[in-house]
Amino acid sequence: MTPSQPLPPDAAAADAGAEALQDGGAPACVMSFNAADPSGAGGLAGDISTLAAMGAHALPVTTSILLRDTAEIFDHHAIDADVVAEQARSVLEDITVAGWKVGFLGSAEAVSAVAEILSDYPDVPLVSYLPNLGWLDEDQAQPYLEAFRELILPATEVLVGNHKTLTDFLLPDWDSERPASARELAVAAGERGTRFVLVTGIMLAAKAGKGGGEQFIDNVLASPTGALTGEKFEMFETSFVGAGDTLSAALAALLAAGSELQAAVGEALAFMDQTLDSGFRPGMGSVVPDRFFWALPPPEEGAEGALEGEPMPEPEPPETKSKGAPRRVH
């Protein structure tokens, strides 16, 4: 077919449909660099489901393959840095990206490859999540964290992580009995070029009540000038896996869609909290966030198995989470 010939009907319709999507309600595309998690709790699986739940389209790039279950990580196999880069470049030549999410990148070499790609898109917001890497051997963890500090932090709009994880990473020499504040962590991150930190799991003093002391944890967005916004959550007995990936991916989706930062943080925290409240335990380990809690169908009136005129049996309650011990963000 020569350029002067008209498009066949199917091709013309497809072209018109593509233009309509671009002009209208097409979802923002967010590229996630993260590990493949076969448990589905976190990593790319968590990012894809979270981005979809938040109305974004995921562009997943595999950086490592985890060997894990819902209780622990046993090992991982890093993807070659050139393969990581080729995955991303192939997609970026075709699709316009509106946001980035960086999770576990697998190796220091992959950190360098990803940072080079990010440098070509300085105006696209980057949300970086730093998980607890205590399961990594020290000879792997140290070069990885140093590369992350030198290459990813300068490109990061918001760094997300648990209070202890970020303190160990950003302020390794902190020896005060007083925990580092979110602002102090933001100052340390800001020295590397990061604009904001979203610190989760900040322990607050217990409040006395009729049922005993109520323990809360704080989640704070901060810049080097001070705390900006945040949410306090009551602590739960249950431990969770995948919460940090959920929060950071939700935030990346909202920023990619053009939301203002503080409003996006509030919405992302509320979303994470609801996924944890609706969480489920698919195995023998931790509870997994339910990113599609809002899509559950309402209970039907009547159910199969009851004879006419007999009362319906009481449904078994879903797994509940007793309050009293901290949520754990992996």
Side-chain angles (χ1 to χ4, degrees), residues 149 152-157 187-196:
R149 184 181 292 111
I152 299 299
L153 290 190
T156 298
E157 178 81 2
V187 168
E191 292 174 352
R192 299 286 183 172
T194 300
R195 295 188 62 194
F196 304 95

Side-chain angles (χ1 to χ4, degrees), residues 48-103:
I48 292 168
S49 57
T50 300
L51 290 168
M54 298 299 292
H57 176 66
L59 306 174
V61 175
T62 306
T63 59
S64 175
I65 299 174
L66 296 182
L67 305 181
R68 70 159 305 153
D69 56 19
T70 58
E72 61 181 310
I73 298 173
F74 307 107
D75 200 357
H76 85 109
H77 295 276
I79 303 297
D80 183 84
D82 289 339
V83 175
V84 172
E86 282 301 312
Q87 291 178 76
R89 296 288 188 195
S90 298
V91 174
L92 292 169
E93 290 175 1
D94 176 47
I95 298 175
T96 299
V97 66
W100 308 105
K101 153 72 192 288
V102 160

